[in-house]
Amino acid sequence: MSLRIGIVGTGAFAQGFIPLFKAHPLVDQLTLCDTDDEKLAQNAAKHQIAQTSPSLDALCAMDIDAVCLFTQNWLHGPQAVQALDAGKHVYSAVPAGVSVDEIEKLVFATARSGKVYMIGETSYYYPGVIYCRQQHAKGAFGRIVYGEAEYYHDWDHGLYDVARWRGGENWRETAGIPPMYYPTHSTSQIISISGAFMTKVSCQGFVDEHEDRIYPDNNWQNPFSNQVALFSMSDGSSCRINEFRRVGHPGCVRMTLFGTDGSFEDNAHGAVWLTKDRNEKQALDTLLAATGQPIKSGGNMDKVTAADGTHLGTAQVHDTARLPSEFAGLPNGHAGSHQFLVDDFIKACHSGETPPNNAWDAARYVLPGLAAHESALQEGTLLPVLDLGDPPAR
Ligand SMILES: NC(=O)c1ccc[n+]([C@@H]2O[C@H](COP(=O)([O-])OP(=O)(O)OC[C@H]3O[C@@H](n4cnc5c(N)ncnc54)[C@H](O)[C@@H]3O)[C@@H](O)[C@H]2O)c1
C-alpha cells in the first residue's frame, strides 16, 4: 500500500522535509497545505506538487492517509487531535503541545484512533545520542547516575527573524514563550537513551531585563529567558536540563551522561567516552561528525537521486543502510536526523507498528518542561511531573 500524505505548513522548516516525503518509495501522493495562499502557490511550484489544500479543515476532509504538521510551535496539539479524530496518521514538528490539557488530549486521541502519531524529535537521531543508546544497550554506563542536557539558542542568533515570520504582526505575543515549553530537544536525549522519565522537578528562572521587553510582555506573562531544572528520574538517577534563550554562547544541543561504570561528556571542546581508567579517554569527534556517508553497497543504486550517492549530513553512527536509496543527495538537517524521522514515520504508517517518538514518548519529552515552568513561577517548589505511561501493545 502506498501512502497519501498531506503537509500542513509550507514555511521555513518544511522546506527540508517536503523533498523527503516526496521521494520516499512508500509515498505516492503529496498534498501541500497552507492558509497563506501565496506561500502555498509558491511552494507547489517550487516542489512541483500539483495537489494543494487551503486549510487543515479541508485537508482532513480529503482522502489521504497522514497529516504532517509543520505549523507554528504553539499550534500542534489541537491540530494533531483534529487530524487523528479525522482518521489520519499524524507526524508533528516539536513540541507536541504547550499545556498539560493538550498533551492529555493528544495521547487519548492517539489511543482512541489507533492511528500512528509521531513527534519529529531531531535530537533522537543526533550522533552523540545514538552512540549513547548503543553504549547503554551494551551496559557500558552501568547504572545511570546523572545526566545533563541543554539547548542554548540566543536571540541574537536569528531568533528575532524566526519570531517575526512565525508570529506575524503581533509576534511579540508569542515570542516570549517560556523556554521550558520547548524542552524536548534536551529532555528527549536523556529519555531516549536510558528509557527513564522525569518524576519530580525543581526549576529556577532567569528574570530577563533586556530592552526588547520580549519577557515579560508576552501571551504567557513569562518573565524568564533562561531556565534551569533539576529532575528526579524514574530509574533513581537525576538530571539537569537547561533551556537558555539569552546567553553569551554560540549555541548548542548537547548532552552529558554519567553512569556507575562509564560516562559520555560533550562540551565545546568535543565529545569523549570515559571510564574509571585514569589513562584512557576515547575521543569521539570523528565517529560523531555529521559530514555525510556514502550510500551502502547493495542499495538500490538505479534509484539514487544524488550525483555522488551520499546520505548528506549523516555520521558514521547513523544506520544509513536502512534509509531509502532515494534519500541520497536530498536535504538532511539537524545532524542527519531528518531522513530517519521521515523514514520512521512512513514505515510505521505502512506497517501499523508503533514508531519511536510516539505520542507517549512525546508526552514524556514535553510534560517535564511544563511542570518545570510552573515550579520556576513558584521559586523552585518541588513539583510532580505527570506521566501518561507507555504506549499500549499494537
Ligand atoms: N529541530 C527541530 O525540530 C526544529 C527546527 C526548526 C523548526 N522546528 C519546528 O518547525 C515548525 C515550523 O517552524 P517554521 O519556522 O517553519 O514556521 P513558519 O512560520 O515558517 O511556517 C509555519 C507555516 O504554517 C502555516 N500554517 C499555520 N496554521 C496553519 C493551518 N491551520 N493550516 C495550514 N497552514 C497553517 C503558516 O501559514 C506558515 O506558512 C515549528 O513548530 C518549529 O518548532 C523544529
Side-chain angles (χ1 to χ4, degrees), residues 12-13 34 39 71-73 76 94 122 165-166 182 185 334:
F13 195 50
D34 204 300
K39 215 184 228 182
T71 53
Q72 285 87 334
N73 46 298
H76 302 155
V94 301
T122 45
W165 80 56
R166 286 190 195 158
Y182 198 104
H185 295 327
H334 292 90

Side-chain angles (χ1 to χ4, degrees), residues 341-352:
L341 293 171
V342 170
D343 189 50
D344 279 346
F345 178 66
I346 296 299
K347 282 182 177 154
C349 294
H350 193 256
S351 68

